[in-house]
Amino acid sequence: MRDVLSRIGIGSARVDTVLPSSTVRAGESVDAEVHVEGGSTDQDVDAIYFALETEYRTEEGYQEAVVDKWRLTEPFTIEEGEERRFETTIEVPRRTPVTVGSVSVEVETGLDISLAVDPEDEDRIEVRPTERLQAVFDALESLGFSLHSSECSARPGGVFSTSASFVQEFEYRPRGGEFSGDVDEVEVVPVYGDDALTVHLEVDRRGGLLSEAMDVDERHTSFTVTDADPDAIEGPLADAIRDLS
């Protein structure tokens, strides 16, 4: 009877991931320790698995997305009441969304147990921008813009050169400086490559009701970032915004 109950999650093994730090920069890694505690009966565990998860907006609502997934350990048996610990390193890809605005990212840890409900654990982590993206943000701040909102949304087909099902949008608004009064907002969409960061930029100009109704107040461009120097980015970024405003 205990074996039957454990298969539906009652008295089953438990898993818990302990993170020494819940903050990590995209493209880097964080160490973790996985604690597995046996339940009321011996259970065969095929693997410990991880999934890095977020969610994005679609026309139908919000949908879960797996940024990355991987497995830890060979099959093993966790005996009744036994406690085991496993050390691992969680790699956070560059494309992982930055956790600002409404965006959240979680590490899900699970035990793969055949013919049974998989015990799971979820840990929310704080993801900071890559150094190149942070340099873009710093350059925007120097130009008088501040972050207003951010969210992940479904990738429009063929618009961005990425295989991901979603992109993250950052909306900046002028708080002062050269573009105050001329620009409503600047939207930034990063697309990550191995050697560079491609930044897609949309500038929403201040215009009359007619121009806004016709969507002619929005203009687009993109540029490539190869280093993490805000001073080097600020000039080309300002030129791009001027050209579109």
Side-chain angles (χ1 to χ4, degrees), residues 21 23-32 88-93 128:
S21 174
T23 300
V24 63
R25 186 182 298 277
E28 297 183 356
S29 61
V30 59
D31 293 331
T88 188
T89 299
I90 297 173
E91 303 290 341
V92 180
R128 295 181 294 175

Side-chain angles (χ1 to χ4, degrees), residues 139-146 173-184 186 203 206 234-245:
L140 281 165
E141 292 279 347
S142 296
L143 292 172
F145 291 89
S146 59
R173 294 184 177 179
R175 66 179 188 281
E178 173 186 349
F179 300 103
S180 180
D182 294 326
V183 173
D184 277 338
V186 172
V203 175
R206 288 189 181 274
E234 184 175 337
L237 180 59
D239 290 340
I241 297 174
R242 290 189 196 101
D243 290 342
L244 299 181
S245 59

Side-chain angles (χ1 to χ4, degrees), residues 183-209:
V183 173
D184 277 338
E185 62 189 29
V186 172
E187 291 187 6
V188 174
V189 175
V191 175
Y192 304 91
D194 293 335
D195 301 318
L197 169 70
T198 300
V199 177
H200 296 268
L201 204 67
E202 177 181 289
V203 175
D204 189 353
R205 302 175 297 173
R206 288 189 181 274
L209 292 176

Side-chain angles (χ1 to χ4, degrees), residues 25 128-139 197 228 230 233:
R25 186 182 298 277
R128 295 181 294 175
T130 65
E131 292 184 350
R132 288 169 178 164
L133 184 57
Q134 183 62 59
V136 174
F137 293 163
D138 291 343
L197 169 70
I233 297 171

Side-chain angles (χ1 to χ4, degrees), residues 52-63:
L52 199 61
E53 300 177 332
T54 188
E55 63 177 17
Y56 62 93
R57 180 175 54 83
T58 70
E59 293 182 354
E60 291 76 29
Y62 283 87
Q63 181 170 326

Side-chain angles (χ1 to χ4, degrees), residues 70-228:
W70 62 100
R71 297 167 85 79
L72 170 70
T73 78
E74 296 297 323
F76 66 96
T77 298
I78 184 72
E79 298 179 358
E80 177 184 350
E82 180 187 8
E83 295 184 5
R84 298 186 63 173
R85 297 187 179 188
F86 302 86
E87 294 184 351
T88 188
T89 299
I90 297 173
E91 303 290 341
V92 180
R94 283 190 295 267
R95 65 182 182 277
T96 307
V98 180
T99 51
V100 295
S102 62
V103 179
S104 63
V105 174
E106 293 181 340
V107 176
E108 179 186 292
T109 311
L111 301 181
D112 186 2
I113 301 176
S114 298
L115 303 177
V117 175
D118 288 349
E120 295 179 347
D121 174 51
E122 292 185 349
D123 296 276
R124 183 168 293 189
I125 62 173
E126 179 182 347
V127 181
R128 295 181 294 175
T130 65
E131 292 184 350
R132 288 169 178 164
L133 184 57
Q134 183 62 59
V136 174
F137 293 163
D138 291 343
L140 281 165
E141 292 279 347
S142 296
L143 292 172
F145 291 89
S146 59
L147 181 64
H148 175 71
S149 65
S150 176
E151 69 172 354
C152 295
S153 59
R155 174 181 62 87
V159 176
F160 303 108
S161 56
T162 174
S163 59
S165 58
F166 66 91
V167 293
Q168 185 172 13
E169 301 170 313
F170 301 89
E171 182 182 297
Y172 277 80
R173 294 184 177 179
R175 66 179 188 281
E178 173 186 349
F179 300 103
S180 180
D182 294 326
V183 173
D184 277 338
E185 62 189 29
V186 172
E187 291 187 6
V188 174
V189 175
V191 175
Y192 304 91
D194 293 335
D195 301 318
L197 169 70
T198 300
V199 177
H200 296 268
L201 204 67
E202 177 181 289
V203 175
D204 189 353
R205 302 175 297 173
R206 288 189 181 274
L209 292 176
L210 179 60
S211 63
E212 292 188 8
M214 296 175 63
D215 288 334
V216 298
D217 58 328
E218 295 180 352
R219 305 179 68 184
H220 311 261
T221 191
S222 63
F223 62 93
T224 302
V225 177
T226 57
D227 58 35

